[in-house]
Amino acid sequence: MDAVNTTTNTTSSSAMTDPLEFYGTQVASRLLLGTAQYPSPAILTEAIRASGTEIVTVSLRRESGAAKSGEKLAGQSFWSLIRDLGVKVLPNTAGCKTVKEAVTTAEMARELFGTPWVKLEVIGEDDTLQPDVFGLVEAARILSRDGFQVFPYTTEDLVVAEKLVSAGCEVLMPWGAPIGSGRGLNNPYGLRSMRAHFPGIPLVVDAGVGVPSHAAAAMELGYDAVLLNTAVAKAGDPARMARAFARALEAGREAFLADPIDARDMAAPSTPVMGRAVLG
């Protein structure tokens, strides 16, 4: 428990001078955490607390599926657990493959969770779970017009990103790698280009992050936050892994703000060579 408090307090202290804001809401933690695939509710609770996160994603499709299968009580218990943790909920249209399906799911989520926030997914390919960027832009436009505050799961394509911003999105969430793959940042160049192209928009690396060093690398590129699920939920010790990610995010952010040196091809001596003694 001491380790959890230390992580949370450090993150909050850092956030006082380096705030993060989504649609007018300030948060201290730069780690967003998914709630699927955990071995038990107790382990999920422990991981959320250890991470220091203030935002968790919840799939409405999973909760609705539980209710339909006669496990309504389990669904209610899960929702009570999330409320008791005092975190903000980011409903997710996970698994949706059409614009109509995503929009309908988002509308149901707003009614159920009482928030205009929605993590918008429109999946276009089954093997990689790559976003259908055409449907994504269309759904984002419809939902933004209807008062939703959209967090779109997208690729690092700058043209798509421009269209999402024009559709009303004030946050962009490009993937690092395919969902659940743990491969890290497949296209650092593309992610770096997106950061440079949208300097004033919160950017969140979403999906594919496997270990804390991947998260630190995203933050060193100047990204504002990281959203992950599988890397923590499927770890041997989810709470310990959640703490490791929280620390990695803080280290990566501090490194970015410290203005790191540029990489170079040749060595550069750290000790001056001028004026050194010459022994004859």
Side-chain angles (χ1 to χ4, degrees):
M1 184 61 69
D2 291 340
V4 177
N5 291 338
T6 299
T7 300
T8 303
N9 291 341
T10 303
T11 304
S12 299
S13 175
S14 175
M16 293 174 65
T17 55
D18 183 29
L20 172 60
E21 188 172 293
F22 296 127
Y23 289 101
T25 298
Q26 279 199 1
V27 293
S29 173
R30 293 176 181 271
L31 175 59
L32 286 66
L33 203 60
T35 56
Q37 307 183 77
Y38 288 85
S40 71
I43 292 175
L44 168 62
T45 299
E46 187 181 9
I48 290 175
R49 287 176 174 161
S51 72
T53 187
E54 297 173 60
I55 300 173
V56 298
T57 61
V58 175
S59 171
L60 178 66
R61 295 171 70 87
R62 189 178 79 244
E63 293 312 303
S64 298
K68 289 178 182 177
S69 64
E71 298 176 9
K72 186 173 181 181
L73 179 60
Q76 290 174 338
S77 298
F78 175 84
W79 182 219
S80 297
L81 180 154
I82 298 299
R83 281 200 308 263
D84 291 345
L85 286 168
V87 291
K88 298 175 180 65
V89 172
L90 177 59
N92 188 356
T93 65
C96 293
K97 295 185 176 181
T98 67
V99 172
K100 181 178 180 180
E101 192 178 15
V103 169
T104 300
T105 301
E107 290 170 344
M108 293 170 61
R110 180 166 62 179
E111 182 177 347
L112 178 62
F113 297 112
T115 176
W117 283 11
V118 62
K119 180 192 170 188
L120 179 61
E121 290 186 23
V122 183
I123 300 300
E125 207 278 325
D126 289 335
D127 290 333
T128 64
L129 299 180
Q130 181 170 329
D132 170 3
V133 294
F134 305 101
L136 180 69
V137 171
E138 183 181 350
R141 184 175 291 112
I142 293 170
L143 291 172
S144 295
R145 191 171 58 229
D146 196 29
F148 283 87
Q149 296 172 342
V150 181
F151 295 65
Y153 165 62
T154 183
T155 65
E156 65 276 26
D157 187 292
L158 296 181
V159 177
V160 174
E162 285 278 16
K163 292 184 180 298
L164 287 168
V165 172
S166 296
C169 298
E170 297 181 14
V171 180
L172 296 172
M173 303 180 71
W175 64 347
I179 294 172
S181 67
R183 295 181 58 86
L185 308 184
N186 274 354
N187 186 5
Y189 171 80
L191 293 172
R192 187 181 295 109
S193 297
M194 179 175 278
R195 177 71 286 175
H197 198 75
F198 298 98
I201 293 181
L203 299 182
V204 182
V205 167
D206 176 17
V209 172
V211 291
S213 59
H214 295 159
M219 301 304 287
E220 288 169 4
L221 290 177
Y223 275 69
D224 297 285
V226 172
L227 193 161
L228 55 92
N229 186 170
T230 307
V232 169
K234 291 294 188 178
D237 187 336
R240 175 169 286 184
M241 186 62 78
R243 278 194 293 274
F245 270 107
R247 291 166 180 165
L249 283 164
E250 184 179 356
R253 181 64 180 176
E254 288 294 316
F256 171 73
L257 295 176
D259 192 14
I261 63 172
D262 294 326
R264 50 184 293 153
D265 294 329
M266 302 296 291
S270 57
T271 302
V273 296
M274 297 297 292
R276 64 182 179 180
V278 178
L279 301 178

